[in-house]
Amino acid sequence: MKKFYSSADYKQWNARHAKQSLKKQLRFKKYLRNKNRHKNFLPEEERKSTINIHRDFGYVKIKVPNNFSFLENPVEVIRFITNLKNHFDTRRKVWIMMRNIQKIDYSAIVVLLSIMVRFKARKIDFNGDFPKNHIINKILIASGFFQTLYHVKISEADRYNIGSQNTIHTHAWKDVDSELGGTIMIDISNKILGRKAVYKGLQRSLVELMQNSYNHAEPTKEGEKHWWLSVNVSTKQKIAALSFIDYGVGIFESLNGKKPGSKWFNWKQILADLFNPATNADVLQLILNGELHKTVTGKNYRGKGLPGIKEAMDRNLISNLHIITNDVFADVCAKKYVILPNNFEGTFVYFEVNDQTVTAPWTEL
Amino acid sequence: MDRVIVKIARDFSRTPGPRYIKEGKWSGELFRTEKFFQIFADAIANNQTVVVDLDGTLGYGTSFLEEIFGGLIREHHLDYNAILQHLEIISEEEPYLKDDILTYLKDAHEESLVHGG
């Protein structure tokens, strides 16, 4: 045996074999390096998504609208939300296809986050791929979407806080949280004005919206539905965008569901006698102008509820107010009230404050 | 007439909240039942003016204000005219709130007449 391994022939064969083997190993190493080169430079969340792309069996694939903006493309976004809601109700796991998103804005972030959290809280698998567009990717990462999707365990809770304080922050709760306005206001005013200031319109709008969600989102039980609020501050543009959403029944369905004994019961008939509104778009206009309240209750609205928010806009305490509820889209600032071909089950409100918004001085007590 | 000053931001909260206690923190109902009614009832009994200073808060939901003022008539059955005689409102930051509050009081008074309150 010793003679065989020490023979010249064997040594020659062994050296040739070792050389070939090394070549093979190096070739494979190079192949692997090339294969992983692209992937290794991606952020962790994106790498994870690339791996998961091959494991999407059993998911229902849902395409995210290319223009993912609730304000610019409400019809497609409502279709997307309704589609997801149907799968949520039947507990089917979904894969959202985000690769081709060309545009996203902050009105869509709150939609995406709230839906994802609802799926995760119910322990229904929710997954998706990354947008090809790097700017959109950055926005989504800043919103905390991927961090929450891949790293955070979510249970059915009353309160959620997602995202970082520096960019986009999303809050969710069921009760009216007036203290939240204070936290948001300090952050916004410091970034926009460089000092602490009081945005009275922001606080009024938030309290009214939270209270509306608490009382009207679910007709059978108060405080049943979450409201969601996303806040994004652009220091460069000096604008803070606030997007508020609840997945209740929506304003018109809520009014329609009022029982005898409620002051709003039969509102439609009372309103029809005086104004004869043709569509819900006309009705929303009447609501915001306080006419519905005045006509049905016989009293002045004095800033209550939605008219109060519009009043805040008229006084330059907030700006760029948009409302989407049921089949109505309203760009209140531009007095544009449109009927949509599909129905959004819930209420979405968007508004902004900026460096021209009227503020009051922040006083230390 | 002596003056009793109530500054909501200092004596209750910088962030007044919803109408009812069940709806969330710092509600109008909480303020009215725990502080405001007693202050007002005492002021009427002692012939004092209640000066309500609305400034210094981060803003008001309208239900909060309706509940604290309208509730004095609706829930505590204080006399509308007595309230008006003993009430002074300071609202430099949001002057329109004064008119709103007077309307809330008037509405609550009219409702109490209808319902025999």
Side-chain angles (χ1 to χ4, degrees), chain A residues 175-318:
Chain A
D175 291 357
V176 178
D177 181 5
S178 57
E179 289 172 345
L180 178 64
T183 319
I184 292 171
M185 220 177 277
I186 292 171
D187 183 45
I188 288 177
S189 58
N190 275 329
K191 283 176 183 160
I192 294 180
L193 303 170
R195 61 183 157 82
K196 277 202 260 184
V198 177
Y199 293 97
K200 298 264 184 187
L202 182 150
Q203 180 73 353
R204 168 178 282 207
S205 304
L206 289 185
V207 171
E208 298 292 354
L209 289 170
M210 291 173 192
Q211 196 156 314
N212 276 353
S213 292
Y214 183 95
N215 289 311
H216 307 300
E218 173 62 53
T220 54
K221 199 178 173 194
E222 291 171 341
E224 191 61 13
K225 297 277 184 187
H226 274 102
W227 50 258
W228 294 82
L229 172 70
S230 254
V231 185
N232 172 68
V233 192
S234 166
T235 316
K236 203 174 165 188
Q237 292 176 298
K238 296 191 183 301
I239 291 177
L242 293 100
S243 306
F244 185 98
I245 196 166
D246 74 49
Y247 296 97
V249 292
I251 293 172
F252 303 106
E253 289 306 313
S254 170
L255 283 169
N256 289 338
K258 296 296 174 197
K259 302 268 184 308
S262 160
K263 63 184 174 186
W264 299 105
F265 179 67
N266 211 17
W267 67 276
K268 225 173 214 174
Q269 191 54 49
I270 300 168
L271 205 64
D273 292 346
L274 219 65
F275 296 99
N276 200 20
T279 64
N280 280 343
D282 298 336
V283 175
L284 185 61
Q285 209 163 346
L286 291 170
I287 291 175
L288 290 171
N289 290 332
E291 295 294 352
L292 176 73
H293 193 280
K294 213 170 2 182
T295 310
V296 175
T297 66
K299 296 193 172 81
N300 200 306
Y301 68 93
R302 277 288 160 201
K304 288 175 190 168
L306 284 173
I309 300 173
K310 181 180 175 284
E311 206 172 59
M313 187 198 77
D314 293 338
R315 289 180 176 136
N316 194 23
L317 299 171
I318 59 168

Side-chain angles (χ1 to χ4, degrees), chain B residues 38-49:
Chain B
Q38 204 51 56
I39 292 169
F40 230 104
D42 290 349
I44 292 172
N46 300 323
N47 199 26
Q48 293 169 317
T49 299

Side-chain angles (χ1 to χ4, degrees), chain A residues 175-176 178-179 181-182 185 198-200 203-204 207-208 211 214-215 222 299-300 302-305 315 317 360-365, chain B residues 9-10 14-19 22-26 56-63 66 93-94 96-97 99-100 103-104 107 111:
Chain A
D175 291 357
V176 178
S178 57
E179 289 172 345
M185 220 177 277
V198 177
Y199 293 97
K200 298 264 184 187
Q203 180 73 353
R204 168 178 282 207
V207 171
E208 298 292 354
Q211 196 156 314
Y214 183 95
N215 289 311
E222 291 171 341
K299 296 193 172 81
N300 200 306
R302 277 288 160 201
K304 288 175 190 168
R315 289 180 176 136
L317 299 171
W362 184 283
T363 47
E364 298 299 337
L365 297 170
Chain B
R10 182 193 59 208
R14 189 193 272 277
T15 55
R19 179 186 292 273
K22 64 178 181 180
E23 291 172 331
K25 277 167 85 175
W26 307 118
T57 68
L58 301 190
Y60 294 92
T62 45
S63 301
E66 203 289 326
E93 292 171 355
E94 294 181 280
Y96 43 84
L97 291 181
D99 283 346
D100 290 355
T103 312
Y104 300 149
D107 285 348
E111 246 170 60

Side-chain angles (χ1 to χ4, degrees), chain B residues 23-36:
Chain B
E23 291 172 331
K25 277 167 85 175
W26 307 118
S27 66
E29 185 186 11
L30 181 74
F31 180 58
R32 177 174 51 75
T33 51
E34 288 202 344
K35 290 187 175 174
F36 200 49

Side-chain angles (χ1 to χ4, degrees), chain A residues 19-246:
Chain A
K19 201 175 165 188
Q20 280 173 350
S21 178
L22 180 66
K23 254 187 182 173
K24 203 173 164 187
Q25 275 178 40
L26 289 174
R27 216 169 32 239
F28 185 65
K29 205 173 165 186
K30 192 177 172 189
Y31 158 76
L32 269 187
R33 199 169 53 231
N34 281 341
K35 191 183 159 202
N36 292 331
R37 181 170 287 160
H38 174 65
K39 216 168 63 183
N40 286 341
F41 285 101
L42 296 175
E44 192 188 342
E45 285 87 4
E46 200 164 340
R47 228 166 36 230
K48 209 161 180 179
S49 158
T50 320
I51 297 164
N52 283 346
I53 207 161
H54 302 295
R55 300 179 185 164
D56 60 350
F57 302 111
Y59 284 98
V60 178
K61 288 189 176 178
I62 297 171
K63 194 173 171 292
V64 179
N66 287 359
N67 180 2
F68 196 30
S69 162
F70 212 176
L71 300 179
E72 289 179 14
N73 191 14
V75 177
E76 288 293 314
V77 175
I78 291 172
R79 196 169 291 142
F80 172 70
I81 294 171
T82 311
N83 204 351
L84 281 170
K85 189 184 176 295
N86 292 339
H87 295 304
F88 177 79
D89 291 342
T90 51
R91 295 190 62 89
R92 294 191 70 183
K93 53 185 185 179
V94 296
W95 179 282
I96 52 166
M97 295 151 68
M98 299 196 286
R99 287 198 77 73
N100 295 322
I101 301 179
Q102 299 298 321
K103 193 175 177 188
I104 192 166
D105 69 11
Y106 301 109
S107 64
I109 298 281
V110 73
V111 170
L112 204 55
L113 281 170
S114 54
I115 290 175
M116 181 255 290
V117 169
R118 289 171 79 201
F119 269 82
K120 286 196 78 166
R122 278 270 188 96
K123 312 278 180 240
I124 307 169
D125 275 4
F126 188 92
N127 218 323
D129 50 23
F130 272 73
K132 279 187 278 187
N133 184 314
H134 286 289
I135 297 166
I136 292 171
N137 240 345
K138 265 188 187 172
I139 294 173
L140 280 173
I141 288 168
S143 75
F145 176 75
F146 293 117
Q147 178 72 14
T148 312
L149 182 62
Y150 293 122
H151 297 296
V152 181
K153 279 189 178 168
I154 291 175
S155 55
E156 292 263 16
D158 280 345
R159 182 158 218 155
Y160 302 109
N161 274 304
I162 301 165
S164 65
Q165 203 66 44
N166 295 327
T167 46
I168 309 161
H169 205 106
T170 302
H171 312 263
W173 208 17
K174 292 179 178 176
D175 291 357
V176 178
D177 181 5
S178 57
E179 289 172 345
L180 178 64
T183 319
I184 292 171
M185 220 177 277
I186 292 171
D187 183 45
I188 288 177
S189 58
N190 275 329
K191 283 176 183 160
I192 294 180
L193 303 170
R195 61 183 157 82
K196 277 202 260 184
V198 177
Y199 293 97
K200 298 264 184 187
L202 182 150
Q203 180 73 353
R204 168 178 282 207
S205 304
L206 289 185
V207 171
E208 298 292 354
L209 289 170
M210 291 173 192
Q211 196 156 314
N212 276 353
S213 292
Y214 183 95
N215 289 311
H216 307 300
E218 173 62 53
T220 54
K221 199 178 173 194
E222 291 171 341
E224 191 61 13
K225 297 277 184 187
H226 274 102
W227 50 258
W228 294 82
L229 172 70
S230 254
V231 185
N232 172 68
V233 192
S234 166
T235 316
K236 203 174 165 188
Q237 292 176 298
K238 296 191 183 301
I239 291 177
L242 293 100
S243 306
F244 185 98
I245 196 166
D246 74 49

Side-chain angles (χ1 to χ4, degrees), chain A residues 313-364:
Chain A
M313 187 198 77
D314 293 338
R315 289 180 176 136
N316 194 23
L317 299 171
I318 59 168
S319 55
N320 206 8
L321 176 63
H322 286 70
I323 299 172
I324 302 171
T325 185
N326 299 134
D327 61 348
V328 179
F329 171 91
D331 177 350
V332 185
C333 208
K335 294 189 174 122
K336 187 178 149 197
Y337 295 80
V338 181
I339 284 290
L340 300 169
N342 47 5
N343 184 59
F344 169 54
E345 267 186 57
T347 305
F348 171 82
V349 178
Y350 173 92
F351 62 93
E352 294 172 355
V353 293
N354 55 43
D355 58 343
Q356 301 300 313
T357 304
V358 174
T359 58
W362 184 283
T363 47
E364 298 299 337

